[in-house]
Amino acid sequence: MKPTALKFLSFIILLIWSIPLSAQTLYVDGIQGRDDAPGTQSEPLASLEKAVIKANTFSGEEPITIKIAPGLYIIKSALAIRDESNRQVAEKYTFEAMVMPGDPDWAPAKMPVIQCVADSNRAGKLKHAGSAFQVARSHVVIKGLKFTGNPNPASEYYYVIERRDSTLTGLEISQCYFIGEKNSAPIQGGVFAQGAGIRVDHCIFYGVKNAVMVFLGIRDFFTHSFYYLRGL
């Protein structure tokens, strides 16, 4: 094969390989981004709400990744993490900090800070409670984020990450901080989850009333984290 043809073929292969990754990866930057942007690395989105809306329409046949730049992210309504086709997807849906622990330039100040100010957003028996991440699909991963409590007095009970469907599997939460303050921004539960494959690894819970709450359908549960319960 001629060198020119070989170079062209290599270019086509690289292009094909890059298409699924770029189509399934979104970047969010609360400082530099804007919500009418495409969500690429050079043109990031501004809010997690917009990123989740876009990501939920992606194909469940490829991994989905939302990369979050350092900064403060205010969530005004719960993030509904789901697959709009209502299929049981097998690929991971990941939220991760752009600078992760272990990176050479990581510092606690570079962790994206997630604060939910929504009022109660549940239905049924626990309608007085609310959450920031409402997980409604399998294989969700959350890494390297810092969650603070909910200062909205209308949210009586606040659970940061919630998965109510006990038929789901695969929920990994790692290298995250959960920081509550009982008088101004409480956290009733850091993780409220049901179903199989729940892993809470290398997380820190400080001032949280209940760090991890697991209920129905629990299998393959694992936690290795640090709990600071001061100030409850």
Side-chain angles (χ1 to χ4, degrees), residues 46-47 67 73-74 86 92 106 131 136 175 181 221 224:
S47 70
K67 291 183 173 289
Y73 298 85
I74 305 295
N86 293 318
K92 288 184 177 181
W106 180 86
S131 57
Q175 299 173 299
E181 205 292 313
F221 172 73
H224 180 75

Side-chain angles (χ1 to χ4, degrees), residues 114 130 146-151 155-161 177-191 204-211 213 232:
I114 315 297
K146 183 188 297 183
F147 298 98
T148 61
N150 188 337
S155 183
E156 184 177 348
Y157 286 160
Y158 172 55
Y159 303 96
V160 179
I161 300 168
Y177 287 5
F178 297 79
I179 303 172
E181 205 292 313
K182 67 175 182 178
N183 295 310
S184 60
I187 296 178
Q188 181 69 21
V191 180
I204 293 176
F205 297 86
Y206 183 89
V208 177
K209 295 180 180 180
N210 300 278
M213 307 167 70
L232 299 184

